[in-house]
Amino acid sequence: MGVIADRAQQARVKNALEPEWEGRFEPRSYGFRPGRSCHDAIEAIFKTLCGTRSQRRWILDADLAGAFDSIAHEPLLAMIGAFPARGMIREWLKAGVIESGRFTPTGEDTPQGGVISPCLLNVALHGMERAAGVRYRNSARSDAEPVRGCPVLVRYADDYVAMCYSREQAEQVQARLAAWLEPRGLRFNQDKSRIVHVEDGFSFLGFDIRRHVDRQGSGKLLITPGKEQVKRLRKRLSAEVRALRGANAAAVIARLAPVIRGWSAYYRSVVSGRVFTGLDHHVWHTTYRWARHTHPNKPRGWVTTRYFGAFNKARQDRWVFGDRGTGAYLTKFSWTKIVRHVPVRGWASPDDPALARYWADRRRKQEPPPADQHAVRLWRAQDGRCPACGEPLLPASHEPRTPSEWEQWFSTARQMLRKQHVTVQAGGQDRTIWRLLHASCHWQLTAAMAGLPA
């Protein structure tokens, strides 16, 4: 991993290189690109496979073996061309690695832990859709409508799926891509690459995707949270609660709330209702066992009365885990509303001045993160912007991409955002309203009103 000075310099080069390539990248490439996320990739898969008229039923599910560690330098530099900082990128690629006092030269791969590495990976893999035989045409429904008869390839960084009409076509795509990847120093991960029918199902980016067929022969495509991800989350929740034995209820709530909110925020755009309900049952059992362990000499009725009740006044649920002293309570997975994700346009780039209106509307219509109802109402009333500085409360280009990033966002949300009540004139009378601001903006306004330096 480079030192701070190197990382800052890489960020400068990335900010110059990225806008040039954003206008050239293929429409179904979503990994590590501004304004795009895992949910755009999942929605692209859904739109390709859903419906009875969809004929692409065979899936090439594959990823690349050590993509960041195996990229050949010369083909990558050839693609960068006459970019002004080309020599600097070459030096980073050839810099080598010092580990435990020993120097190891780097004849291939990208800078380890480098800020620019994801961008260089996208540049190196540019052209994969064309190599797979994907062709596009403009239509009234989309600016990147796949031509009938050709496969559709959706890529997120080094993970991708190709949706084909037959198994033979999927095998041809795999062979073409293997030949295309070889000069670039890349190859398939054979342990994770397979060709399956959509009715057998496959996993991608933590989601399980499968077409279910009923007895009448009609099928329905369902995308659900991955079984492995659910199993891993159950184990983590149990381990977290066991580690908090001896702590109070407030500590349990503070530890589990970001995990629950973050995981449900990531999976709220797919068929997650049944999974959320099952996880709520699991959380109830783990917190109940924690309460019984905390008070081993108390009867069960006393324990449930002490720690469970209708803490959330907006919901008629008397089995909510909470703290009687502070009134704080643990949110439930099932309280998160299922909201379909609106996919980004295929060729849209945040750096295109002609699409400034499109990106502004997309930020304005962005669904607020799952939070308390008061904060959600303020978010929507303000169109997701801070009334003090006018900037987005959660920038669209930096929306969390994984459950862990959502968890981190919720953990720091109290430090990032503040509620403020102000008095305004309305109809000749003073009226008190609430606003949602950045914490820094709130401090500046408070300091200005108190006559202190901001």
Side-chain angles (χ1 to χ4, degrees):
M1 182 178 293
V3 296
I4 296 298
D6 291 334
R7 293 174 67 82
Q9 190 72 348
Q10 287 184 20
R12 292 180 59 201
V13 174
K14 172 180 175 289
N15 290 339
L17 180 66
E18 191 174 65
E20 173 191 350
W21 281 88
E22 273 297 316
R24 300 161 60 181
F25 282 144
E26 294 167 311
R28 285 179 170 80
S29 164
Y30 298 103
F32 303 109
R33 293 181 58 187
R36 298 178 178 236
S37 66
C38 300
H39 301 93
D40 291 304
I42 294 299
E43 193 65 22
I45 293 174
F46 177 79
K47 288 184 175 297
T48 302
L49 298 178
C50 72
T52 57
R53 299 179 63 182
S54 174
Q55 298 180 357
R56 296 180 178 90
R57 301 286 177 84
W58 286 92
I59 311 299
L60 170 60
D61 178 17
D63 70 345
L64 306 179
F68 284 96
D69 301 328
S70 306
I71 296 177
H73 292 170
E74 295 308 319
L76 174 59
L77 292 170
M79 293 193 69
I80 293 175
F83 180 67
R86 184 176 185 274
M88 194 176 299
I89 294 176
R90 174 187 286 274
E91 292 179 3
W92 287 330
L93 294 174
K94 304 292 185 181
V97 178
I98 297 178
E99 185 175 1
S100 301
R102 299 181 60 183
F103 175 78
T104 303
T106 51
E108 54 187 20
D109 80 13
T110 56
Q112 296 296 312
V115 176
I116 200 173
S117 296
C119 182
L120 294 180
L121 176 66
N122 281 330
V123 172
L125 295 179
H126 177 64
M128 178 178 281
E129 292 186 41
R130 177 167 288 274
V134 182
R135 299 294 181 269
Y136 294 105
R137 64 181 179 87
N138 290 327
S139 69
R141 295 186 300 174
S142 172
D143 62 340
E145 181 76 16
V147 175
R148 180 172 296 183
C150 74
V152 172
L153 187 143
V154 174
R155 181 175 68 85
Y156 190 92
D158 58 343
D159 294 335
Y160 70 91
V161 293
M163 292 156 280
C164 307
Y165 284 85
S166 64
R167 186 180 185 90
E168 291 73 21
Q169 187 183 53
E171 293 172 349
Q172 293 172 5
V173 169
Q174 186 174 18
R176 286 199 296 264
L177 289 178
W180 183 81
L181 291 169
E182 185 177 0
R184 292 161 175 80
L186 301 171
R187 58 185 176 82
F188 289 119
N189 186 337
Q190 298 297 334
D191 295 334
K192 297 182 179 180
S193 301
R194 59 184 186 138
I195 297 175
V196 297
H197 196 274
V198 68
E199 294 179 4
D200 297 327
F202 63 99
S203 298
F204 188 63
L205 301 179
F207 296 87
D208 285 348
I209 305 169
R210 182 183 176 188
R211 186 173 185 267
H212 297 261
V213 180
D214 59 19
R215 295 180 179 179
Q216 286 73 32
S218 60
K220 186 174 184 179
L221 185 74
L222 295 180
I223 301 179
T224 59
K227 292 182 179 179
E228 288 298 320
Q229 282 67 28
V230 175
K231 184 178 179 180
R232 193 179 304 127
L233 178 65
R234 286 174 176 266
K235 289 183 177 180
R236 181 188 174 185
L237 291 171
S238 299
E240 294 282 5
V241 175
R242 280 197 301 270
L244 289 170
R245 287 181 175 178
N248 56 18
V252 175
I253 295 169
R255 186 67 195 93
L256 296 187
V259 179
I260 294 173
R261 289 185 182 274
W263 205 88
S264 58
Y266 182 76
Y267 288 103
R268 61 177 169 164
S269 62
V270 297
V271 185
S272 304
R274 184 174 295 179
V275 173
F276 284 174
T277 301
L279 289 171
D280 284 336
H281 289 309
H282 179 75
V283 171
W284 187 91
H285 283 291
T286 54
T287 52
Y288 177 75
R289 287 196 296 269
W290 172 90
R292 291 280 292 166
H293 183 274
T294 304
H295 303 279
N297 298 324
K298 295 292 185 179
R300 296 180 181 180
W302 186 94
V303 170
T304 56
T305 302
R306 171 73 179 271
Y307 292 104
F308 296 91
F311 288 95
N312 188 345
K313 304 303 180 184
R315 296 182 178 274
Q316 296 180 352
D317 188 345
R318 63 186 183 91
W319 292 106
V320 179
F321 180 81
D323 183 5
R324 296 285 179 187
T326 63
Y329 58 87
L330 191 62
T331 187
K332 290 192 173 184
F333 288 93
S334 57
W335 292 351
T336 301
K337 183 180 179 181
I338 304 299
V339 181
R340 287 291 300 274
H341 178 76
V342 179
V344 67
R345 289 183 186 174
W347 298 100
S349 168
D351 300 298
D352 187 352
L355 296 177
R357 180 77 174 272
Y358 166 76
W359 288 102
D361 290 342
R362 185 171 176 83
R363 283 192 296 269
R364 179 174 56 83
K365 297 176 182 178
Q366 182 183 17
E367 189 67 21
D372 62 273
Q373 293 300 313
H374 187 213
V376 170
R377 287 196 299 269
L378 293 176
W379 179 293
R380 287 177 174 152
Q382 299 171 192
D383 288 334
R385 291 186 175 273
C386 174
C389 65
E391 293 296 320
L393 293 169
L394 176 62
S397 60
H398 193 60
E399 181 174 318
R401 298 185 177 96
T402 63
S404 59
E405 288 186 11
W406 271 112
E407 177 186 340
Q408 184 179 7
W409 188 90
F410 281 110
S411 297
T412 58
R414 292 183 178 180
Q415 288 76 37
M416 294 168 53
L417 303 177
R418 290 286 189 275
K419 291 180 183 179
Q420 181 193 43
H421 62 89
V422 296
T423 303
V424 298
Q425 286 285 336
Q429 296 180 349
D430 291 341
R431 181 185 175 190
T432 301
I433 63 172
W434 286 90
R435 305 191 304 177
L436 195 62
L437 297 86
H438 293 128
S440 57
C441 297
H442 182 267
W443 163 247
Q444 292 176 4
L445 292 175
T446 304
M449 288 187 295
L452 300 174

